[in-house]
Amino acid sequence: MGGYAPFVEFCAAHGARADELAADPERLIWFLRTVGSQLAEDARLSAAAAVFAGNTIARLRPDAQWTAYEGAPPTVGNREKGIEVDRLLEGLRSADDAEVRGLVSMLLDWAGDELDAPTALPPRPAPPAAGQPRYVRPDLPTETYYSHAGEPIPYGRQWGADGPDPDSYSVDSHPERFAGLHLVARALIDHLTAVYDVDVQDDPVHAGELLMEGKGVLRAVKVTPRDPEEAPLTFVLTGYPGVMVHAGVLHDFPFPVCGCDACDETAETVADRLEMLVLTVAAGGYSERYPVGRKRWSEYALAAFDGSGSESGQGEPACVNAARLHDAEVRLREVTGAWKPWPLRRS
């Protein structure tokens, strides 16, 4: 990042060479600690020092970079560690020698850590074929829900700019508003069956494919395309009411993720995501990797079938069964890149 020139001039005025500090993060940290009170007196200089420090940290690893989000201070780091350099400078002013040594040690250890595997390229879903039938969402029930005071609850638009009421977290006043998701799941299963060359098994035993716990399983349907390089989908309808989808070999997707009043979800907004997942998997816009990097994490990526967006996730696999993890590893070796698009049913 640019904007560090005032700090370079400050270093020269104090008998320090900025290029040497940039090449030696330990020396830079101690220098910043020594001159911290002077930097604090000049906002422009302090900002320049923060940029300089962040650039120095970013040079410690090839996978490190600056990240900035609207309304939040910029950070520098990688997927494993992010450092707010503004707060780092503030902390150094009051840190004792042991704390400074600890910070230096942390940075040097982080710099020497083994690199994780790079993030996979996003999958590319196949465009719909000419004449391919389109999915149509069924009509969802419409009902007005009321608070304990008898007032209608405007789900989906309850909260303004100040965000949710603190008392609304963990309060799930009307989960029945998600009952329409069962209709959506059945419609998606019917659509997949009609359009694609798949095998469909309607058997509660398939709920065992979930890595998460499915509460009150009502129905489980597994839809499996004919080619082993195409990701299967298992739909589990729960008594919450909700739907859980197991996609591929190692990832579960719950709908809704959270039904509390603070999240303010509606059946329509959750159905949007459910349909996006299912139609994207069928179009070949879904990929999984395992194991990823030294931590042996699992990873998924979705590129929406209609080009509306993408999402990804990475973390420790939810499954603790070693045999299942081994089977997933072997299976994913056979999948080159993303899962393939499902084949259309022959007319």
Side-chain angles (χ1 to χ4, degrees):
M1 282 181 60
Y4 56 84
F7 181 71
V8 174
E9 298 172 0
F10 175 86
C11 291
H14 287 74
R17 291 187 55 179
D19 57 340
E20 293 178 353
L21 294 176
D24 188 344
E26 180 174 5
R27 184 175 172 186
L28 172 64
I29 292 298
W30 285 103
F31 179 75
L32 291 171
R33 195 269 191 109
T34 301
V35 301
S37 59
Q38 298 178 61
L39 299 177
E41 295 173 355
D42 185 333
R44 177 170 171 268
L45 180 58
S46 180
V51 172
F52 188 94
N55 287 343
T56 301
I57 293 170
R59 291 178 61 187
L60 295 178
R61 291 180 61 92
D63 60 347
Q65 61 184 355
W66 283 94
T67 304
Y69 296 98
E70 185 176 356
T75 63
V76 65
N78 61 356
R79 288 181 296 179
E80 181 178 314
K81 185 181 298 294
I83 298 170
E84 293 183 17
V85 286
D86 291 343
R87 294 184 61 186
L88 182 147
L89 264 62
E90 294 174 7
L92 282 174
R93 292 201 297 270
S94 58
D96 59 28
D97 287 356
E99 290 170 329
V100 176
R101 286 194 293 269
L103 171 62
V104 170
S105 177
M106 179 274 290
L107 287 175
L108 296 180
D109 288 345
W110 175 69
D113 278 349
E114 177 186 348
L115 289 176
D116 275 335
T119 302
L121 294 175
R124 292 187 177 182
Q132 179 177 332
R134 294 183 61 186
Y135 164 80
V136 178
R137 178 184 296 180
D139 293 334
L140 299 182
T142 57
E143 187 172 343
T144 301
Y145 299 99
Y146 296 89
S147 68
H148 292 301
E151 297 291 333
I153 302 175
Y155 281 115
R157 46 188 177 84
Q158 290 189 81
W159 316 118
D162 294 334
D165 183 332
D167 294 334
S168 65
Y169 290 93
S170 301
V171 176
D172 200 344
S173 56
H174 288 287
E176 66 272 20
R177 70 187 187 275
F178 298 115
L181 295 177
H182 288 182
L183 297 176
V184 174
R186 295 187 189 105
L188 284 166
I189 293 168
D190 291 344
H191 173 77
L192 296 176
T193 304
V195 175
Y196 297 99
D197 184 17
V198 295
D199 175 63
V200 180
Q201 296 180 344
D202 191 338
D203 191 328
V205 70
H206 291 301
E209 303 207 2
L210 293 176
L211 305 179
M212 302 177 180
E213 180 183 359
K215 297 181 180 179
V217 173
L218 302 178
R219 186 184 181 191
V221 180
K222 184 172 184 178
V223 184
T224 307
R226 306 295 181 186
D227 190 325
E229 289 194 35
E230 298 155 3
L233 289 168
T234 300
F235 298 78
V236 178
L237 280 61
T238 67
Y240 170 73
V243 177
M244 302 181 74
V245 178
H246 181 73
V249 293
L250 274 183
H251 290 90
D252 291 345
F253 298 86
F255 302 93
V257 174
C258 177
C260 79
D261 288 6
C263 289
D264 201 27
E265 289 273 34
T266 68
E268 289 77 10
T269 59
V270 178
D272 288 342
R273 295 198 302 275
L274 172 58
E275 292 162 349
M276 190 278 285
L277 169 71
V278 172
L279 299 177
T280 293
V281 171
Y286 178 54
S287 67
E288 291 182 286
R289 292 198 303 169
Y290 173 80
V292 178
R294 58 189 173 82
K295 293 188 176 181
R296 296 181 64 83
W297 280 355
S298 62
E299 178 183 84
Y300 81 89
L302 281 166
F305 72 99
D306 59 0
S308 59
S310 62
E311 69 174 71
S312 62
Q314 184 186 72
E316 186 175 352
C319 175
V320 295
N321 185 308
R324 186 167 181 180
L325 289 175
H326 174 72
D327 290 345
E329 181 175 355
V330 172
R331 178 77 185 279
L332 290 175
R333 284 185 200 145
E334 302 169 354
V335 179
T336 55
W339 292 100
K340 291 168 57 177
W342 290 10
L344 297 176
R345 182 179 295 278
R346 295 181 180 178
S347 57

